[in-house]
Amino acid sequence: MKSLQQNPQLLEAQFEFRFGTIAGVNAAKPILLISLFLCSGNAVAQAGEKEPAAVVELGAAASRSLTEGQSSFGPTVAVEATPIENWLELEAGVTPLFRRHSTEWSIDLLFKKPWTLSDKMEFMLGVGPEWIHTNAYGTKMDSVAAEIASDFMFWPSRKHRLGWYLEPSYEYKFGPGHEHSLGITGGLLIGIP
């Protein structure tokens, strides 16, 4: 113990060995631990019901700015997991939207409350933060937004392996101009066992 107190480099190396570092490859450890924590509750809760551990959403998105009166279109991809069965769904997604002389990339995290309407249909209402990077006429801007979305999920079979969804949403940007917009996404649902 005295050798550790006398040699601070040895103490720092011992700490890095036990707990990892923040820089470089070891920065992934906290993210991995959080992911495992969220997925472990999901796996235990759904073991008897054979529900997917996660659902991937692949589709198309359209958005109409209520402030500027312009429309944007693009692809979208999201992953959804259930940390608390029948109470909380988490959805993280990325959507690039394109219009003339403008590109907008958004990353969102929605906290959704699910309701099972039948074996083949679900409804969710969610709210969450969104980060938006816009490049319009060569000017780049980042802003934070809030999003409210309703999600309709349709599953042709009871196994919930393949389905489709429709998700209308409202977005409010806290950046310059305080833009309001309405959007809709829709596409394919893929259940990951």
Side-chain angles (χ1 to χ4, degrees):
M1 186 69 164
K2 282 188 175 185
S3 64
L4 286 177
Q5 292 173 344
Q6 293 171 352
N7 189 350
Q9 288 85 13
L10 185 59
L11 181 61
E12 184 179 334
Q14 192 73 322
F15 180 81
E16 286 180 4
F17 176 74
R18 287 187 184 164
F19 302 106
T21 60
I22 299 301
V25 176
N26 291 331
K29 287 181 182 179
I31 296 170
L32 178 62
L33 290 174
I34 291 169
S35 299
L36 288 174
F37 174 73
L38 290 174
C39 293
S40 65
N42 187 26
V44 172
Q46 294 182 353
E49 300 168 7
K50 307 256 183 182
E51 287 287 322
V55 175
V56 176
E57 298 178 353
L58 299 172
S63 178
R64 175 82 175 167
S65 172
L66 300 175
T67 310
E68 299 173 357
Q70 296 181 352
S71 297
S72 303
F73 304 94
T76 185
V77 63
V79 177
E80 190 174 281
T82 307
I84 304 172
E85 189 69 31
N86 297 323
W87 285 100
L88 179 63
E89 300 261 346
L90 296 178
E91 178 186 305
V94 177
T95 305
L97 293 173
F98 306 98
R99 66 179 174 217
R100 179 176 276 196
H101 305 295
S102 176
T103 304
E104 179 178 287
W105 283 84
S106 65
I107 299 172
D108 63 354
L109 176 64
L110 294 175
F111 299 86
K112 296 181 173 181
K113 167 64 173 126
W115 288 276
T116 302
L117 304 177
S118 72
D119 289 340
K120 297 182 179 184
M121 188 173 167
E122 297 176 61
F123 171 74
M124 294 181 214
L125 188 61
V127 64
E130 186 175 18
W131 175 77
I132 300 167
H133 175 77
T134 306
N135 185 355
Y137 298 100
T139 304
K140 296 179 182 178
M141 181 176 36
D142 293 321
S143 61
V144 177
E147 182 179 11
I148 298 171
S150 54
D151 192 358
F152 299 91
M153 303 173 87
F154 305 96
W155 302 95
S157 73
R158 292 182 182 195
K159 292 183 180 180
H160 292 194
R161 297 291 179 246
L162 198 60
W164 62 279
Y165 75 99
L166 192 62
E167 186 176 291
S169 63
Y170 169 78
E171 173 186 287
Y172 176 79
K173 289 185 189 174
F174 296 107
H178 299 283
E179 182 180 350
H180 302 263
S181 60
L182 293 176
I184 189 159
T185 62
L188 186 64
L189 295 171
I190 303 169
I192 308 296

